[in-house]
Amino acid sequence: MRCDRVLIVRAPEQMRETKTVHWKIKRRQTADPRTVVCVLASPFSPEVNVTSPGHGWVTALLEDGVVVSSGEGGLSGDRIQDATAKIPMVHSVPDLHVSEQVAAELALQEEQNLLASRKLILLVDLDQTILHTSNDLQAFRYKNLHRYCLPGSSLIYHTSFRPHLLTVLDSLSKYYEMHICTFGNRVYAHKLASIIDPKRRYFSHRILSRDECFNPITKFANLKALFPRGLNLVCIIDDRGEVWDWSPNLIHVKPYR
């Protein structure tokens, strides 16, 4: 299927806080403006239906929404011509690709939205930039650490936040759309995001982990795909400059250990 545009459908954030979201759509299902994507239910008010903003096919399911791709027909995976889609535009859905033209159109729309809200983009590294994690048994001696296990493992991790982290994130969120960009694996990155930002006020779904990176050595390779119109609105904070090829957009911070 050739995608002309990609739409990410989510329940309104202000309603998600007071209502239960029931998703009514599945992957590979067709969608049109009459299709109910989800129902917002509350025992104290009438149900609210959220419908698709256009015609297309559901090509991916996110944790808090669905991706609807419009095109010339056919299910996702049914190729009617040579594929031109090769740019991944959604951090948490690395298999979702769009063409260079569509990527540029989406990037322009995102850029216009950022400028309208008077914000820039900030890519935030995790380990030794805003936090430090260890599985050393000696860490049990310390207080005020976040302790947790990852799925499928009994190993206990101990994470310490950089001092005043939440205050800084709250301040930065007024001026930046923040993205996590880490060489930690997907499970680890999402676990830490849920601890740092349980209400998804700062990072939402914008989490790029090692599993989504093109290159296991450098993060710089992802920038062109994520920001096809350039890096004019992008800032980066990281304790390691070499993984960004010492980009001029980088703010190099002292490692937090």
Side-chain angles (χ1 to χ4, degrees):
M1 178 180 72
R2 181 175 65 82
C3 293
D4 295 319
R5 60 176 180 157
V6 175
L7 303 170
I8 300 178
V9 184
R10 292 189 176 86
E13 186 172 354
Q14 65 272 23
M15 291 188 177
R16 294 202 302 264
E17 297 177 357
T18 58
K19 295 178 179 289
T20 303
V21 181
H22 300 288
W23 294 101
K24 298 294 185 179
I25 202 164
K26 298 179 180 179
R27 188 171 180 268
R28 293 178 175 264
Q29 181 177 334
T30 58
D32 60 49
R34 297 172 298 176
T35 303
V36 176
V37 175
C38 67
V39 175
L40 305 176
S42 170
F44 308 106
S45 60
E47 291 185 346
V48 176
N49 292 336
V50 177
T51 58
S52 171
H55 296 265
W57 305 84
V58 177
T59 54
L61 302 178
L62 309 179
E63 292 183 4
D64 60 347
V66 297
V67 177
V68 178
S69 300
S70 66
E72 296 178 345
L75 293 177
S76 175
D78 293 342
R79 185 174 298 172
I80 59 175
Q81 61 180 25
D82 290 340
T84 60
K86 56 184 179 180
I87 308 296
M89 291 290 291
V90 182
H91 300 347
S92 54
V93 192
D95 294 331
L96 174 64
H97 289 64
V98 298
S99 68
E100 291 184 4
Q101 178 183 350
V102 173
E105 292 173 356
L106 291 172
L108 175 60
Q109 181 180 349
E110 176 67 15
E111 187 176 293
Q112 291 172 340
N113 291 339
L114 285 168
L115 293 174
S117 61
R118 301 181 66 84
K119 286 187 175 184
L120 299 175
I121 291 171
L122 181 63
L123 305 184
V124 182
D125 176 52
L126 292 180
D127 290 291
Q128 300 186 41
T129 296
I130 64 171
L131 54 84
H132 178 75
T133 296
S134 171
N135 53 25
D136 192 328
L137 294 177
Q138 298 297 321
F140 280 105
R141 298 185 301 169
Y142 301 101
K143 298 180 180 180
N144 301 321
L145 299 182
H146 298 272
R147 295 184 171 88
Y148 52 91
C149 295
L150 298 178
S153 172
S154 59
L155 193 64
I156 299 176
Y157 291 87
H158 313 262
T159 294
S160 171
F161 291 167
R162 199 157 198 149
H164 311 295
L165 172 62
L166 298 183
T167 301
V168 171
L169 290 179
D170 192 61
S171 178
L172 289 174
S173 67
K174 300 173 184 176
Y175 307 101
Y176 294 92
E177 177 188 273
M178 293 187 289
H179 303 233
I180 289 174
C181 191
T182 177
F183 271 157
N185 66 32
R186 184 181 300 151
V187 174
Y188 173 74
H190 281 262
K191 178 63 178 180
L192 283 175
S194 70
I195 296 173
I196 299 169
D197 187 19
K199 294 184 178 180
R200 298 187 177 185
R201 294 176 52 208
Y202 306 132
F203 300 107
S204 185
H205 64 286
R206 299 181 295 272
I207 304 171
L208 183 74
S209 72
R210 181 178 66 204
D211 299 272
E212 291 85 49
C213 286
F214 296 152
N215 190 308
I217 299 175
T218 174
K219 299 177 183 177
F220 192 78
N222 283 74
L223 290 181
K224 184 176 180 180
L226 293 174
F227 309 108
R229 285 180 56 83
L231 306 180
N232 293 336
L233 302 181
V234 179
C235 299
I236 305 163
I237 55 172
D238 203 317
D239 68 295
R240 295 177 58 193
E242 73 277 8
V243 299
W244 296 104
D245 292 351
W246 294 103
S247 166
N249 301 69
L250 171 71
I251 300 173
H252 187 220
V253 300
K254 182 179 179 180
Y256 175 61
R257 297 187 174 96

